[in-house]
Amino acid sequence: SEPEIPVTIAMSSGLLFKQEQQGCGPAFKFVEALKAVNAELTNHYPDSEELFKVKLINDSSSSDFLMDHICEHGLGELITLLPVTEDQLVNEFKKNNTHLYLSDEPGLKVQEALNAGVAAAIMFTPTNIITESENQLRVAFDGDAVLFSNESELVFKSGGLQEYLKNEKQNVENTMNGGPFKGFLEVLIKLQKKLHNRGLYKKCPIRTYLVTSRGAGCDGYRALNTLHTWGLELDEAVFVGGANKGPTLQRVKPHIFFDDQQIHVAIALSVETVACWVPSPN
């Protein structure tokens, strides 16, 4: 069996606590849900190290402010500060076995993290944030260029819809390559299975979603077949077939949604969903 290591999530400190506005940032409810999952895992596996850990990237001038807020919200066991300079970030991620990096600003660091094999994205803030549950972590993923590689998306961009559909039909039984967020989904499902093994099915504190522009034909089948081949089963897969993802996200109310298309990120924000943009690989 694989060694049990923490699921490490690094994020810009401003995503959690905003020093200037004295308020909470867009990742706050996501982090609260991580804390709730840890409580369930510790209850059922008291000796396990396989828990969420959050590394808050900060500069030394904000340490006191952050520690005060971390303690105030009872997040001391979940969060540690990571006082590193930008040029040290990616090396630090490798050293800490970082599974996910969330940034609050566009820049080379997200791209460098992706190039180093770390799931990384830029988080945006909707005007209001609506989530259904504080005790169930809900994570929604796009498919192509997020969970899967961007191979099919490149066919669509170069040849259009018909060429894309032809490609998917020809390759319907061929498993796609993994995208930058495959590893993060793997660790979520690993934790989920541990909780299922303790009888937590309907009340499992982790729920995963695929929300993809693929349709329900060969392209959708190929996505499901790829996930099945990988041994990964999400709780729900929604194939919008090129339609607006907003209604699905309104219904699901995830804590966090990852997409590589800025138009879908904008739509997610318009329906009060915290959305993260995954830049295309260089």
Side-chain angles (χ1 to χ4, degrees):
S1 63
E2 296 174 20
E4 292 198 342
I5 60 169
V7 177
T8 302
I9 299 171
M11 66 176 69
S12 306
S13 60
L15 292 174
L16 191 60
F17 299 117
K18 294 189 176 295
Q19 194 163 0
E20 303 80 20
Q21 295 102 327
Q22 292 290 316
C24 295
F28 182 75
K29 289 189 176 183
F30 171 61
V31 169
E32 279 197 319
L34 297 178
K35 178 186 173 184
V37 174
N38 276 1
E40 284 286 3
L41 286 166
T42 302
N43 183 34
H44 293 283
Y45 297 92
D47 300 321
S48 176
E49 291 291 312
E50 209 162 29
L51 301 166
F52 289 110
K53 298 287 183 188
V54 174
K55 303 275 187 181
L56 215 54
I57 302 160
N58 72 297
D59 57 51
S60 55
S61 65
S62 61
S63 295
D64 290 344
F65 163 81
L66 292 171
M67 286 308 303
D68 287 347
H69 280 68
I70 289 166
C71 293
E72 180 186 331
H73 292 281
L75 298 170
E77 287 187 16
L78 175 65
I79 298 174
T80 54
L81 298 185
L82 187 63
V84 293
T85 58
E86 277 218 344
D87 59 333
Q88 298 172 313
L89 265 185
V90 174
N91 284 336
E92 200 66 36
F93 294 160
K94 289 179 183 175
K95 195 167 77 177
N96 284 314
N97 260 323
T98 302
H99 295 86
L100 174 64
Y101 166 45
L102 300 172
S103 176
D104 58 359
E105 57 186 33
L108 290 174
K109 289 302 150 192
V110 168
Q111 194 67 63
E112 283 181 31
L114 287 165
N115 293 344
V118 177
I122 301 154
M123 180 178 276
F124 293 90
T125 310
T127 309
N128 295 303
I129 299 173
I130 302 295
T131 55
E132 183 74 11
S133 169
E134 290 177 11
N135 297 319
Q136 184 183 60
L137 172 66
R138 297 182 176 195
V139 184
F141 300 91
D142 177 32
D144 294 277
V146 178
L147 292 181
F148 314 124
S149 75
N150 66 343
E151 58 198 88
S152 295
E153 197 161 277
L154 292 176
V155 173
F156 179 84
K157 285 179 179 175
S158 63
L161 179 61
Q162 292 309 313
E163 197 62 33
Y164 161 77
L165 292 173
K166 179 183 169 185
N167 178 74
E168 295 309 295
K169 188 173 183 179
Q170 288 174 343
N171 291 285
V172 67
E173 297 294 344
N174 294 336
T175 304
M176 286 182 279
N177 291 318
F181 278 73
K182 179 190 175 190
F184 184 56
L185 176 64
E186 284 174 336
V187 293
L188 289 180
I189 289 180
K190 187 180 180 189
L191 294 181
Q192 217 179 17
K193 284 180 177 175
K194 288 180 72 171
L195 293 162
H196 289 170
N197 290 339
R198 292 294 185 266
L200 292 175
Y201 284 97
K202 286 187 177 179
K203 293 187 177 180
C204 185
I206 301 173
R207 191 164 176 84
T208 56
Y209 303 84
L210 171 66
V211 183
T212 172
S213 291
R214 286 174 174 259
C218 290
D219 52 342
Y221 173 83
R222 190 180 183 206
L224 290 178
N225 189 47
T226 296
L227 291 166
H228 177 74
T229 304
W230 291 346
L232 300 178
E233 185 178 342
L234 288 91
D235 292 292
E236 193 173 328
V238 183
F239 301 96
V240 301
N244 190 325
K245 295 184 180 183
T248 297
L249 294 171
Q250 273 183 311
R251 175 180 63 79
V252 168
K253 297 182 176 65
H255 291 96
I256 195 165
F257 169 58
F258 299 100
D259 203 297
D260 71 303
Q261 300 288 324
Q262 288 178 302
I263 187 169
H264 296 310
V265 169
I267 287 167
L269 295 173
S270 74
V271 295
E272 302 175 330
T273 297
V274 174
C276 301
W277 176 50
V278 182
S280 300
N282 281 346

